[in-house]
């Protein structure tokens, strides 16, 4: 009786926790009372830590791992939390763990893990090492399981989650079969199927479904906005947005994302201001988009105000929001704040590591960037470098003049991480070699690339030719730019200056006359500053 009273009292106290510090205090109390493995108590701690905006999923994971990990409700809670996080694949790991130790799954389990699979595909779509096929197979496996258990045709949430997963996989056939076999379709079902057609650019089928929809809601209009945003047609997206009978936060987020996509950052900030005026509460997605806008515009004061507002509300900064803050501070040149945010993050997605590494490299903190990359490699079980990571690493090598190290990283990228370099990686290597006088090697790299060089590479090399006085190679670069039909006024002036430094005055006059003959105007220099 005393034990029951103690459990009831502690359970009541736990329901009132509002911060991770209070969770830790509660942990101390229940440990002292010997109640650490009572599911009803631990589940409340894990639920708050994993799902509350003031919680910490990393802390929830630590508590979870200290339990026997065999309670269905607790496992479902962790799957649900991971399905919303930057590491949704961990939800699949918990689901697999449940089956390994024969914990019964229910409709909540399947709904959450299907959402996690869909989110994993979305989160990792740019990572060439990510096994998208494996996720699709896992989804099909779960599909078979829920069919066998008789849950598919009686649970609309599972049906919609499965439909959404197949949409994310681009598997239109299985998605349509699930849709056609649904005994009762919700508005969400119609919207998901419409967006599935949109995703493969089958707009005819999408519009046909829209015409057949028995009822439309705000999400139906959001689906149309998402279509136009993906196509980069911001005018059409804005027209739908203005004509909507009502809007939700997704509507505002979508139109802001549209402006960001077409790089109309002022437009994005104007819509954000309009959203605030309309008293619509900004979500994490909204804030992440606006921080991205601040990063591109260098609007540090706006980004800092947003950060201060989050801290005043004691909002837990994790996931993509944390990454957006790191990226904003780094791109605005405030590496101290970027580093502070980075270190405070408990769960770091690869994009967060990339933002910090690239930020350090671009601003000349090359040794720190390479040290951070080494620290990233040591945590290979949690995160693995991708293409963007190596761009940051190669930039660091270029700025520091680490030629041998640059060659080594370039080689490791291919051999160790199985990442085939694209033109940006070759550009970094050409910049590295060119800066430090290895012009012939840089030229050879350009000529032996598995794809055609662009004007950026040739301009990088011709700029180095001026620094190191290589007239013949500069002429070759100029001819290559001419073949690309990419000659600009600066290219003529640069070659003319190279000839002048070599005292080849006839060639100087020839280039100047060629510039006049081709009617290439010399543009005036200009600078941009931000006012108010």
């Amino acid at each position: 009786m005393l034990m029951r009273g103690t459990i009831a009292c502690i359970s009541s106290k736990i329901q009132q926790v509002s911060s991770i510090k209070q969770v830790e205090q509660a942990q101390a109390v229940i440990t002292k009372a010997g109640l650490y493995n009572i599911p009803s108590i631990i589940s409340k701690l894990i639920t708050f830590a994993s799902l509350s905006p003031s919680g910490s999923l990393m802390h929830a994971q630590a508590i979870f791992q200290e339990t026997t990990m065999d309670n269905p409700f607790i496992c479902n809670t962790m799957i649900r939390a991971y399905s919303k996080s930057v590491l949704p694949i961990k939800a699949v790991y918990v689901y697999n763990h449940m089956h390994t130790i024969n914990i019964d799954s229910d409709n909540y389990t399947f709904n959450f893990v299907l959402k996690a699979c869909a989110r994993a595909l979305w989160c990792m779509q740019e990572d060439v090492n990510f096994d998208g096929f494996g996720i699709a197979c896992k989804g099909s496996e779960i599909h078979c399981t829920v069919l066998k258990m008789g849950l598919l045709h009686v649970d609309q949430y599972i049906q919609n989650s499965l439909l959404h997963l197949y949409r994310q996989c681009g598997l239109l056939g299985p998605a349509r079969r699930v849709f056609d076999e649904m005994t009762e379709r919700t508005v969400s079902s119609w919207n998901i199927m419409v967006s599935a057609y949109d995703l493969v650019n089958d707009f005819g089928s999408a519009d046909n479904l829209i015409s057949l929809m028995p009822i439309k809601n705000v999400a139906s209009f959001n689906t149309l906005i998402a279509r136009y945003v993906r196509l980069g047609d911001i005018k059409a997206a804005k027209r739908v947005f203005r004509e909507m009978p009502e809007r939700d936060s997704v509507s505002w987020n979508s139109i802001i994302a549209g402006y960001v996509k077409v790089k109309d950052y002022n437009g994005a900030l104007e819509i954000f201001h309009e959203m605030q005026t309309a008293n619509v509460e900004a979500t994490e997605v909204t804030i992440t988009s606006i921080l991205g806008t601040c990063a591109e515009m260098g609007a540090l004061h706006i980004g800092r105000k947003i950060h201060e507002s989050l801290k005043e509300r004691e909002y837990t900064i994790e996931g993509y929001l944390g990454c957006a803050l790191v990226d904003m501070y780094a791109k605005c040149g405030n590496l101290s704040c970027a580093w502070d945010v980075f270190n405070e993050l408990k769960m770091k997605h690869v994009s967060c590591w990339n933002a910090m590494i690239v930020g350090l490299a671009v601003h000349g903190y090359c040794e720190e960037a390479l040290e951070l990359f080494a620290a990233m490699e040591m945590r290979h079980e949690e995160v693995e470098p991708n293409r963007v990571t190596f761009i940051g690493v190669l930039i660091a090598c270029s700025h520091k003049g680490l030629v041998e190290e640059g060659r080594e990283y370039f080689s490791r990228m291919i051999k160790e991480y199985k990442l085939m370099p694209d033109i940006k990686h070759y550009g970094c290597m050409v910049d590295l070699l060119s800066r430090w006088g290895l012009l012939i090697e840089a030229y050879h790299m350009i000529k032996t690339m598995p794809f055609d060089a662009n004007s950026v590479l040739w301009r990088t090399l011709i700029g180095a030719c001026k620094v190191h006085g290589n007239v013949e190679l500069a002429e070759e670069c100029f001819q290559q730019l001419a073949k690309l039909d990419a000659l600009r006024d600066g290219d003529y002036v640069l070659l003319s200056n190279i000839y002048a430094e070599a005292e080849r005055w006839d060639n100087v006059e020839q280039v100047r006359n060629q510039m006049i003959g081709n009617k290439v105007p010399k543009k005036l220099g200009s600078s941009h500053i931000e006012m108010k």
Side-chain angles (χ1 to χ4, degrees), residues 41-59:
I41 291 178
I42 293 301
S43 63
K44 289 182 173 64
L45 285 179
I46 289 178
T47 299
F48 174 83
S50 63
L51 299 175
S52 169
S54 303
S56 165
L57 183 50
M58 183 70 79
H59 196 89

Side-chain angles (χ1 to χ4, degrees), residues 429-442:
M429 284 302 296
V430 168
D431 182 59
L432 168 61
L433 296 169
S434 299
R435 277 174 183 257
W436 304 97
L438 301 170
L439 304 185
I440 302 304
E441 186 179 346

Side-chain angles (χ1 to χ4, degrees), residues 244-397:
M244 290 174 70
E246 60 176 315
R247 305 181 188 116
D248 60 9
S249 60
V250 176
S251 316
W252 291 92
N253 292 342
S254 297
I255 199 70
I256 288 172
Y259 277 104
V260 172
K261 180 168 182 171
V262 298
K263 299 185 178 180
D264 183 354
Y265 303 119
N266 284 319
L269 289 176
E270 286 173 9
I271 292 290
F272 179 57
H273 178 69
E274 187 180 333
M275 181 181 182
Q276 290 178 308
T277 305
N279 292 319
V280 179
E281 186 175 352
T283 66
E284 185 171 320
V285 175
T286 319
I287 297 169
T288 300
S289 291
I290 293 302
L291 287 171
T293 297
C294 294
E296 296 302 326
M297 293 180 68
L300 177 61
H301 64 289
I302 298 176
R304 197 195 297 274
K305 282 183 179 178
I306 291 172
H307 189 192
E308 288 171 356
S309 172
L310 293 171
K311 288 193 287 188
E312 286 173 6
R313 291 157 52 191
E314 296 185 350
Y315 197 96
T316 299
I317 298 172
E318 283 292 344
Y320 288 103
L321 178 57
C323 178
L325 273 171
V326 172
D327 188 54
M328 184 274 297
Y329 279 126
K331 285 182 177 175
C332 291
N334 194 328
L335 292 177
S336 176
C337 286
W339 189 252
D340 288 343
V341 175
F342 180 82
N343 283 330
E344 288 171 3
L345 297 177
K346 301 294 187 295
M347 301 180 72
K348 300 180 180 73
H349 186 262
V350 62
S351 57
C352 189
W353 289 87
N354 291 346
M356 198 68 237
I357 290 171
V358 173
L360 288 167
V362 166
H363 291 286
Y365 294 90
C366 307
E367 292 178 1
E368 289 84 350
L370 296 178
E371 286 172 5
L372 189 58
F373 175 70
M376 182 184 186
E377 287 190 299
M378 291 177 67
R379 301 177 67 167
H380 60 89
E381 293 181 357
E382 299 175 24
V383 64
E384 191 167 298
N386 63 13
R387 294 175 186 273
V388 179
T389 319
F390 279 96
I391 288 175
V393 168
L394 293 174
I395 289 173
C397 291

